[in-house]
């Protein structure tokens, strides 16, 4: 599973669209709503950011102070204390969440299914083959949510016998005709109709709905949206469309018999074994998966797709997209064969399934889902010329593909062990970046993941493996994803490259087609390495928090002293054992490497060296997951920027020097960063340079040249977003940017011109009203909302209907600002927002509720808000309604 947080590789988001003025009673929480509902925003003050650069590890929690040098020339190491966080698991002890007890072994599932589009229902017959797990059984309980169950029969050869059953809308309880013992086979036939629209909808921040079976544009009334059906099983929603034992520690083989109109394509797990045309004008496709896998990984997708065929070795690959995106299919998925080859060789275990298909659907409830042999992706991947802009979705494609080993072949036995799925899939992203783009790209992805986790850690610190989790859906967070992926990268460094992948090979081969817990992973590593790794797994997987390390050093002649203090609150967080390298850069150009193990709260090392080092890099390999505060002098940071090989150290140097641009040496160093080989350093330096008026003037000729010629679209976009149209030379660069071949660059140039305001901005906005780019349309809406012209009403409303995902939230939110100024539009505007706040889309409801809040001084609006909040049934949405409108 990829959380909805996923963004295309290196993709910049536009600046936050600001809401209107506060009104008398409304409590604003702004755009940080989406950090919970969709997880799509960078956690920097609850707003979208204009830069793809992650915040630094120090900036996430407490800004690292600039170095202060004492009279003796030693840095002052005082630092602001980290905010104390009491973990939820410590504050409230939730009940233990064990893996499910298995009374029966589900061996095979066959689903013969068709669809009633008008009713949004699916009549089906399920045939299940089971055997008692160990103990004799005279009854069977199956998960079956929201069904109309017509009959349950046992099949004995060619005979069928009706069985007595009871059904409570969530579970089907079957009384068997005899007692079955281990090894005996029970075959059941269940005639039912799945009715997903009757299910009380739940979900989480990562997976926003759990209906299981979804009918998209079922009545065909939306001409801009295809009719589709698709499924989503994680965590336990497969039982919303077929009866099963809906648990990750269950697995079986599968047969899907899908009957559809001949105009539609079908997709399911495994191979299409045959297809039959029926007399009633329909077609029946039979898909077979002969290898066992967990029920939550079962899938279907039905729609009118263009299918692009590909292959890897002798295995078929297929990519399913809507017809108008057919020409872009290879740009989205075309690197899949290379990924399959790389991962298979790296792991020493070949891709295990008979085929691999990837399909993009509308209105998916998460980022993507790793259904066995058939991954399903959100519609955001289905883009046009942005793919040719140096952007791609390789991170999400690699994530779901890596799941085919970690999650599908070897599956977590319980949701508290979810990191065994998601941490590995995140680690797969890191591997692919390293393989295709090199060390800097790996380090940058690592830094972004670290920022993501540390952002979440401001309010939530939990063990990765959470047997006492409140709800299984809570596992889908930046702990399981970002932190877990970084922990695996750290383990790779600790045990070494060869041992790491040998251990993964053992883990995969020993546990294939089985369910696992965290100790299975540890035991594989211990068997390969011969080491006792309890210390590593205990502190990183079983304990909450992260280290916060204060480092200082001083040198006198030929002696260097390094002092290290772990400052985290050890009431809830361990004193960590951190094996790491310290690099000493000597005046003669050589480097001395000292391997140390930080394992006490306060430690000191003393080394004799040939001369005083010009720089000391703590954690030179960049492995620590936490906050490192190593105070250095200005000269040391300048030297670090010019000489450090690892990206994080160069980025850290840029950040630490940014507040001292009045210094000539610092200014020269910052300008030199514009030539850094990795775009993120250049982009970061540009932001700081453009904020300092004197350095900006000095750098402007270079920056204007870079805006035209820099190979990175991120860099060109960053420069243009900070130019001023009032300046003739900068206006000329912006005009050129509007015509740039890169959609990202164009949108940033347009953004700068629109944000400048005035008649020119309005004229430009009018010329862009027909754009197909949702980011640009959002900017146009923002500009036009300032004036509140009644003539723009239809454009504003029609634009909202075109928006998807988080953009729909922003667009509806902008309507509030527009209606605040368009007084003649307010009556019908309030009616529109009221309907949207009661609609089916959670993000749209949030945006509409907040937009109504801008108008709550208008007659009846406040009462409407109270009524909407009272009637909201989604607990996640209601939580934010309560925050925005307290009692």
């Amino acid at each position: 599973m990829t959380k909805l947080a996923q963004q295309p590789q290196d993709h910049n988001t536009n600046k936050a669209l600001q809401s209107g003025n506060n009104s008398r009673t409304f409590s604003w929480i702004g755009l940080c709503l989406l950090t919970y509902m969709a997880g799509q925003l960078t956690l920097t003050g609850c707003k979208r950011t204009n830069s793809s650069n992650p915040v630094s590890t120090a900036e996430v929690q407490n800004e690292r102070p600039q170095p202060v040098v004492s009279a003796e020339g030693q840095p002052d190491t005082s630092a602001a204390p980290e905010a104390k966080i009491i973990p939820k698991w410590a504050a409230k002890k939730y009940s233990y969440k064990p893996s499910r007890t298995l009374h029966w072994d589900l061996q095979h599932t066959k689903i013969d299914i068709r669809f009633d589009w008008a009713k949004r229902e699916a009549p089906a017959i399920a045939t299940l083959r089971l055997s008692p797990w160990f103990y004799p059984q005279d009854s069977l309980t199956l998960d079956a949510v929201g069904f109309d169950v017509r009959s349950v029969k046992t099949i004995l050869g060619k005979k069928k016998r009706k069985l007595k059953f009871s059904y409570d809308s969530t579970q089907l309880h079957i009384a068997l005709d005899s007692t079955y013992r281990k090894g005996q086979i029970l075959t059941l036939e269940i005639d039912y109709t799945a009715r997903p629209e009757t299910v009380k909808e739940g979900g989480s921040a990562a997976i926003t709905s759990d209906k299981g079976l979804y009918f998209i544009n079922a009545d065909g009334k939306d001409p801009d949206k295809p009719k589709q059906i698709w499924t989503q099983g994680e965590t336990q929603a497969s039982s919303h469309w077929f009866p099963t034992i809906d648990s990750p520690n269950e697995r079986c083989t599968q047969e899907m018999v899908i009957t559809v109109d001949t105009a539609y394509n079908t997709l399911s797990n495994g191979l299409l074994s045959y297809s039959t045309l029926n007399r009633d004008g329909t077609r029946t496709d039979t898909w077979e998966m002969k290898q066992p896998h967990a029920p939550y990984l079962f899938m279907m997708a039905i729609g009118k797709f263009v299918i692009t065929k590909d292959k890897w070795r002798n295995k078929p690959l297929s990519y399913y997209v809507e017809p108008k995106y057919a020409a872009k299919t290879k740009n989205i998925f075309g690197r899949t064969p290379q990924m399959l080859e790389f991962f298979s060789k790296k792991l020493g275990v070949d891709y295990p399934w008979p085929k691999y298909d990837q399909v993009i659907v509308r209105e998916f409830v998460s980022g993507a889902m790793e259904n066995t042999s058939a991954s399903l992706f959100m519609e955001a991947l289905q883009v046009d010329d942005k793919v040719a802009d140096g952007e791609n979705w390789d991170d999400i494609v690699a994530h779901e593909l890596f799941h085919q080993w970690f999650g599908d072949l070897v599956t977590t036995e319980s949701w508290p062990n979810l990191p065994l799925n998601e941490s590995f899939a995140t680690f797969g992203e890191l591997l692919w970046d390293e393989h295709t783009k090199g060390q800097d790209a790996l380090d940058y992805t690592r830094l972004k993941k670290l920022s993501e986790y540390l952002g979440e850690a401001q309010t939530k610190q939990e063990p990765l493996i959470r047997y006492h989790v409140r709800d299984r859906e809570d596992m889908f967070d930046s702990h399981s994803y970002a932190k877990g992926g970084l922990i695996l990268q750290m383990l790779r460094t600790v045990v070494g490259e060869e041992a790491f992948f040998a251990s993964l090979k053992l883990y995969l081969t020993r546990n294939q087609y089985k369910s696992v817990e965290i100790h299975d992973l540890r035991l594989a590593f211990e068997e390969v390495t011969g080491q006792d790794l309890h210390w590593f797994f205990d502190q990183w997987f079983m304990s909450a928090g992260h280290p916060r390390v204060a480092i200082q050093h001083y040198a006198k002649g030929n002696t260097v002293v390094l002092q290290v203090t772990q400052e985290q609150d050890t009431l809830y967080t361990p004193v960590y054992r951190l094996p790491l390298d310290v690099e000493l850069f000597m005046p003669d150009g050589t480097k001395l490497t000292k391997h140390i193990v930080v394992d006490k709260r306060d430690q000191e090392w003393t080394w004799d060296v040939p001369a005083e080092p010009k720089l000391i890099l703590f954690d030179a390999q960049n492995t620590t997951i936490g906050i490192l505060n190593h105070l250095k002098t200005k000269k040391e940071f300048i030297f670090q920027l010019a000489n450090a090989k690892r990206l994080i150290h160069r980025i850290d140097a840029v950040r630490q020097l940014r507040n001292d641009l009045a210094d000539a040496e610092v200014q020269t160093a910052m300008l030199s960063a514009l030539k850094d080989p990795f775009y993120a350093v250049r982009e970061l330096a540009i932001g700081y340079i453009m904020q300092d008026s004197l350095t900006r003037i000095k750098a402007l000729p270079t920056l204007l040249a870079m805006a035209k010629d820099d190979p990175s679209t991120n860099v060109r976009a960053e420069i243009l977003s900070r130019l001023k149209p009032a300046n003739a030379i900068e206006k000329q660069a912006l005009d050129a940017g509007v015509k740039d071949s890169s959609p990202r660059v164009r949108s940033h140039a347009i953004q700068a011109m629109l944000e400048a305001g005035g008649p020119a901005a309005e004229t430009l906005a009018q010329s862009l009203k027909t754009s197909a780019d949702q980011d640009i349309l959002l900017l146009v809406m923002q500009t036009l909302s300032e004036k509140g012209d009644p003539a723009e009403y239809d454009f504003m409303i029609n634009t909202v209907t075109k928006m998807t995902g988080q953009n729909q939230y922003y667009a509806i939110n902008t309507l509030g600002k527009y209606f605040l100024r368009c007084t003649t539009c307010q009556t019908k505007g309030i009616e529109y927002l009221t309907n949207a706040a009661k609609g089916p889309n959670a993000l749209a409801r949030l945006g509409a509720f907040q937009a109504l809040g801008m108008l709550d001084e208008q007659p009846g609006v406040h009462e409407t808000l109270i009524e909407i909040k009272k009637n909201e049934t989604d607990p996640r949405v209601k939580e934010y309604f309560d925050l925005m409108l307290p009692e």
Side-chain angles (χ1 to χ4, degrees), residues 594-614:
K594 304 292 184 180
H595 184 75
I596 65 172
V597 177
V598 178
D599 58 4
K600 296 179 179 63
R601 193 164 184 83
D602 294 285
Q603 287 174 273
E604 182 175 289
W605 289 264
T606 300
W607 298 303
D608 292 330
V609 292
E612 182 176 334
K614 300 191 74 172

Side-chain angles (χ1 to χ4, degrees), residues 177-305:
D177 52 358
S178 63
T179 297
Y180 286 77
R181 300 184 183 279
K182 182 177 175 65
Q184 288 184 290
I185 300 298
L186 168 66
T187 303
L188 291 178
E189 179 185 276
I190 303 169
D191 189 352
Y192 70 99
T193 295
R195 301 180 301 165
E197 298 303 317
T198 68
V199 175
K200 183 179 179 180
E201 192 172 2
S204 67
I207 310 167
T208 60
S209 172
D210 62 355
K211 288 197 299 184
L213 178 66
Y214 298 82
F215 290 81
I216 307 303
N217 193 27
D219 56 13
K221 291 182 178 180
D222 188 341
D224 297 321
K225 185 181 298 180
K227 293 178 65 175
Q228 292 179 347
I229 298 170
W230 46 263
T231 63
Q232 164 56 31
E234 195 174 35
T235 53
Q236 291 175 197
S238 285
S239 53
H240 293 197
W241 62 280
F242 66 92
T244 189
I245 300 172
D246 204 351
S247 178
N249 61 345
E250 185 56 270
R251 62 194 62 245
C252 65
T253 55
Q254 168 194 349
E255 186 176 358
M256 295 296 304
V257 183
I258 306 171
T259 300
V260 295
D261 186 278
T262 55
Y264 295 101
N265 308 108
T266 71
L267 175 63
S268 188
N269 314 90
L271 295 171
L272 179 64
S273 55
Y274 50 91
S275 185
T276 304
L277 292 174
N278 305 314
R279 292 182 179 179
D280 62 357
T282 62
R283 187 186 74 254
T284 300
D285 293 341
T286 300
W287 295 83
E288 292 184 282
M289 170 60 80
K290 296 182 179 180
Q291 296 152 282
H293 64 138
Y296 80 89
L297 296 167
F298 285 29
M299 71 84 67
M300 294 185 301
I302 291 91
K304 296 179 181 179
F305 300 105

Side-chain angles (χ1 to χ4, degrees), residues 735-756:
D735 288 339
V738 171
K739 301 174 184 177
D740 194 280
S741 60
S742 159
R744 182 196 293 120
V745 174
R746 292 199 301 270
S747 67
H748 279 71
I750 290 167
Q751 180 177 349
M753 297 176 78
L754 292 178
E755 289 181 347

